[in-house]
Amino acid sequence: QVQLVESGGGSVQPGGSLTLSCATSRSLFSFLRMGWYRQAPGKQREPVAVFNSGGVPNYADSVKGRFTISRDSAKNTVSLQMIDLKPEDTAVYFCYVHFVPVDYWGQGTQVTVSS
């Protein structure tokens, strides 16, 4: 079993910044993949930034240059730094890990970008 606890969501104006953090209950080295997804109202959940099995981060085209994913193995956390936020970034953001053979998800944290 894996527990994921997200924090850092909130409301910001366009152009603002937020950093999301995900605390995991196991060592990051336990996971084949890890990262962040988001789901906007009426839309499917989509990957935002995910470390692949080789440890390389992959970003959605819509967030490249604005979002940065990072991980801290000592603290067992995965973070997502978001700058220059846009209204279309509004969504519930989910922390994700693949602990073979199961996907685990956090409870989600709301990010709202509005003027």
Side-chain angles (χ1 to χ4, degrees), residues 11-74:
S11 296
V12 296
Q13 293 185 340
S17 302
L18 283 173
T19 296
L20 307 181
S21 185
C22 174
T24 70
S25 60
R26 299 184 70 98
S27 166
L28 297 187
F29 297 108
S30 303
F31 308 130
L32 188 63
R33 296 185 298 275
M34 67 191 84
W36 293 90
Y37 281 63
R38 69 186 180 187
Q39 187 167 17
K43 295 189 176 181
Q44 289 189 332
R45 191 173 298 188
E46 61 177 4
V48 175
V50 180
F51 285 109
N52 65 19
S53 58
V56 177
N58 293 307
Y59 295 94
D61 287 342
S62 59
V63 307
K64 284 180 180 177
R66 300 188 298 119
F67 290 12
T68 303
I69 189 172
S70 62
R71 53 192 175 182
D72 187 330
S73 299

Side-chain angles (χ1 to χ4, degrees), residues 72-85:
D72 187 330
S73 299
K75 296 181 179 179
N76 293 335
T77 59
V78 182
S79 297
L80 184 68
Q81 182 183 20
M82 306 181 291
I83 66 171
D84 190 23
L85 283 160

